[in-house]
Every structure is written in C-alpha cells, then in structure tokens.
Amino acid sequence: MITPARLLIAALLAAAAPALAQPAPILITADLSEAPRHLYHAEIDLPVKAGPLTLITPEWIPGEHRPDGPVEEFAGLVFTANGATLPWHRDDVNLYQFHLEIPKGVTALHAHLDAIVPARVTPHMAVLEWERLLLYPANTPVRDIPIKPSIILPPGWSVGTALYPMEIGQTPPPNTGINQSAHLSTGTAVMYYATTTVEQLEDSPVLTGQYMHEFPLAPEVTPKHFIDVASDEPRDSDLRPELLAQLSNLVREAGAAYGPGHYGAYHFLLTLSDTAGGEGLEHGQSSDNGVDEGTFRDADHQLAAADLLPHEFTHSWNGKYRRPVGLYQPDFATPQRGNLLWVYEGLTQYMGYVLAARSGLITPVQYRDLLASAAARLDMQAGRAWRSTEDTAIANSVLRVNGAAWANWRRSQDYYWEGELVWLDADTLIRQLTTNKKSLTDFFHVFLGKGGATGPLIVPYDLNEIVTDLNQLAPYDWSKFFADRIDTIQPRADVAGIERAGYRLDYSDKPTRTETTVNTARRGATVIDVWYSIGIRVTNDGTLTDIRWDGPADKARLSPGQKIYAVNGTVFSADALKTAIRDAKGKSEPIHLILQTGTQVTAVDLDYHLGERYPILARIDNTPDLLTDITKPLTTAPAK
Ligand SMILES: [Zn+2]
C-alpha cells in the first residue's frame, strides 16, 4: 500500500532535487491546436547567460532503443532574445545540436519551432511524444534540467496524461484525467502542469482528442489506474464492460506479480483509429498505445493485440523502473547498448501474454496456441544458424526497420520471442528446482521489489544482479543457463520450458482456431499461411514477400518479389494454393507454379509432399501441466 501523502512526498523530492541545481525551469508550451493539420508548435523559454550556448533535442529515444529522435520534423525554428532574432547553426557532426552565441545582458532565450508530424494525428485526435518539441542545454544530465510544461488544445478536445496538473507545494487535486480540461474557465484550452524534469517530461506523453473516454480501472487499488481512449468515431472510445473488467484484472494481476508500482497514477493512453498509426511505447506512468479502430470491438478482434496493454504496463516495472545499465543514459544523446534487451523486452514479452491470460484477455487455450506460433516461428528462423539471440539484441537498432525479403535468414528482433521462451524455461526450472514452491513471481518480488513503492524512478541493473537474485531463490548455474541460450548460436529454439511445462511443439494439418482468428482479424488477412509447408510468405494477390531459407521454395529457387500467377493450371488464389499442397501430400507429382517476375513468366515445380503444416502445442501425457498453472490468476476481483 502507498498513501497519497507518501506519494506526494516522493513527487516533491523527485521534483525538488533538480530545482536546487538550476532554479529557473525551462517553460515549454506545446500548441496542439493545429494537430489535425499535422503541425505541432512549441514556444520555449530558456534561462541563459551570455556566451556560447549549445541546445540539443533527443536522439536516442528510451523504449525505441535506437537513434530515431524526429529532428528531421523540425521546421520554422527561430530564436529571439530581448526582441531580437539570434542566428543559430546546426552542429555539422551531431545533427541534433544547435549552436548560438548569447549576447551580453541576455538572461532569457525564446525558441519557436514547428514539428511536422507524420503519424498519430487525425482530424479527431493527437498524441504528443515530447521529443518532437524539446530543446534544452546539451551536455547536462536530463534528470537535472527542470522544465514546466503547458499544452494548448484544439477547441473542445479533452486530454489524458500522467503529468501532474498542479504546482509543487500545492495540494494535488484529485486525478481527474481527461476531465482536467473541464476545470478551466470557459473559452480557454490551455493546460498547465507542474514543473518536472526533461527526463520525466520525455516519459510523459499526452493524448488529446475530440471523442475521449476515461475509465478508472480496479478502483480499489492505490495508486489509481485509468485508461484514456480517443477514437475517430464517437462510439469506439466507449470500451465494452467486459474489456474494462479484464483491464481491471490486469491492474490487480500486475500488482500481485510485480509488487508496488512506481507512478503517481498510471494512465493507459489508447488511440483507436485506422489512420493514426499503430504504436506500443512504454512509459513509466502512461503507455502510449495505438491500434486499428475495431481492435477491441469483440473478443475475436482483440486477440491479435491481446498482449499490447499487458506488455506496455509490464514495462513500467521492467524497463522503466528497472533498466539495463546500457540502456540508461544520462542524456538522450549517448548511444544505448542493447545487449540485455532479452530481459527488457524478452521477459516483458513472456509476461505480456501470461498477464493477458491471467486477466482474461485471452483464454489458456489461446495462450498455448500463440506460444506454439512464436516457438515454431523461431524454430524455423533460419538465421539462427549464423547469429545468436544476443546479437539480435545488440543490433536491434538496425533490425527494427528492415523489409520482409529473406527476413528469416537475416533474423529480426528475435530477442522478444527468444526471451519469451527463455523466461518460460527459467520459470518452469525454478518451479522444478523448488518442487513448485517458488516461481518467477518470487524472482519479481526480489528483483522489482527492492525499493518498495516510489514515484517515477530509474534503477539500473546488470546481468550479475539477475543471476544473484535467481540464485537466492533456486541455486543453479544461471550464468551458464543464460549464456547457453542467449550468447551462443543455437540451431533450435529453446523449447525446454514448453516441454518441462508438459507440452511439445508439433505440427497439424489444420491451423488452430486462434491462428485463424488472428489472421482473419488482421485487416484483409494479407498473408496466406504456408510458411511451415512450402516455405513462403505470400499475400492474397500471390506476391512472395519472404522465402524460408533451405525450405522447399528456396530449393526451387523462388525469389521475394515474384508473383504466383497460377497453381497446377488454375489461376492463383489461397484456396488453389492450399488445395495443391493437400493434393501433393504423399505423392511424387510436384506442385506446378507459373511465376511472374517483372514482365517475364516462368514455370517452376515445387517438390513438396508433406501436406499442410501448422504449429500446435501437443500435451505430453502423464506430466504436470505447468502452462495451466502459470496462466492461473493470482488474484480475484472484489465482490461488487
Ligand atoms: Zn516492449
């Protein structure tokens, strides 16, 4: 439990410390009134002194793990002081830095800038991630730079954010979320927030919209939790009671699994829009989530995104509060090092699905089916023959934005799903070593529980700490356990956890209902699932996007970008392709394809006779079913 008084003290201490180092905060006003036109504006007042000044904007964005700060979106940058425009020039090596010479007698610098915003805005909503608008002194730890934000909203729009709508020293008003704007006098749409730090402001996105709903979650839990939802259609943001009950369960389950939170109040920010773009970005007190407008319409549609909110919420503990030492830099300019992303993201990937199941967002059967899909994909990820999981983590920033062609040979950000399997392996091993007396939950209570409840805080860790904490619970050679699975090239996926849990990865000639539902819910069902049979990813129009290295299609020399024109003498369709795969099973006659490559047409034969193949988890008889244990809720909802 954490009392509001203790929370306030934590917030005051957090905010007061930097204020001593630099008394005057930067004032920043984010003007979102033209958001529907893809324009944000900022007015920034910086305390300065005479002499050379270098300002900087974030480059390495926490949670993105790569140098993609959107400096290219800056436009209209003008600096003024005492009514005069000051010249600036960009650093010709570090493009995120701006150099100025501050004249004698000047103590306040004003910066105006416009940001051209490509995504997360529609005529009815906007999401502000503050790195789009920030400018602050370079070479200073961002946790030591005080900044006081305010926001101008489009008329009639509401706002959801974890920023504190109060001044330090004032009594905090009840956290009213989007209704904050109702407290303003009529006709104004300016929101004022308490002084924070550049580090915390970057971690505090703002969601604003014309059609917004805010729902309290698990109201008996302290601190408070909300989901703030904006949509393009008024009715979409009114979430189903069943979903809200599941999200309340999520709040309870995360608390039971991880212990006290590290936030004043937690806000899930959610956009439902077919044009705002997809997003899932963790923040300590307010994850930024974006999905298509129909995603949470019903249980079938939400299946494909069921782990999104549990995943991003988990990051408040694993990633934001506890962060790998290489991923926590004193500024947003020093490169991040990703070698422990299999903990930051991999453990979160594991728990995202476990919490989704414990909360009722997915069923235990769906949990197992989704795990089968992840394990099979990794097991057939050909690139595992040449690069380790650790290498996918270290190289994450160059793996995030690659195309589909030969992706299985290159590997992608596999540390997410490899981490999921490795942490299932660890969870089941702890249960086995302790004859089911302990589990990963006990590890969380040690690893995540060291500081008790606090306000927003970042405490770095290294692998030694994880190994030490695990050894306390269940003595084992955990260093070797992780080195074998993460640092070493492994030709097969780590299915030891699945098997210790009483299941084995297998293939069936029919997809699971979960897989069919997920494929159908994704708009257009653009990929026909024949990856585990003939080894291609193919869209509904016959275009090949990826070829499985060393699979049947690779052996027949098919290429990404080619288009299947005909199958066994019939014009291409999903049905024609699957019928051909079924008909060739157990026979010697190959599958005949006509392929189009640019303006050329060629005939190719696929020598494949094993029929359709879809991943499943098959129960191993007479073994304990640990997957059912793992997905059981730890809490019960209070009686109404
Ligand atoms: Zn994540």
Side-chain angles (χ1 to χ4, degrees), residues 282 311-312 315 344-345 348 416:
E282 62 271 27
H311 179 110
E312 304 307 344
H315 273 317
Y344 183 119
E345 294 294 2
T348 303
Y416 279 86

Side-chain angles (χ1 to χ4, degrees), residues 24 71 118 192 195 273 317 328 357 403 454 460 536:
V71 70
Y192 297 95
T195 301
S273 168
W317 288 265
Y328 183 35
T454 71
I536 54 173

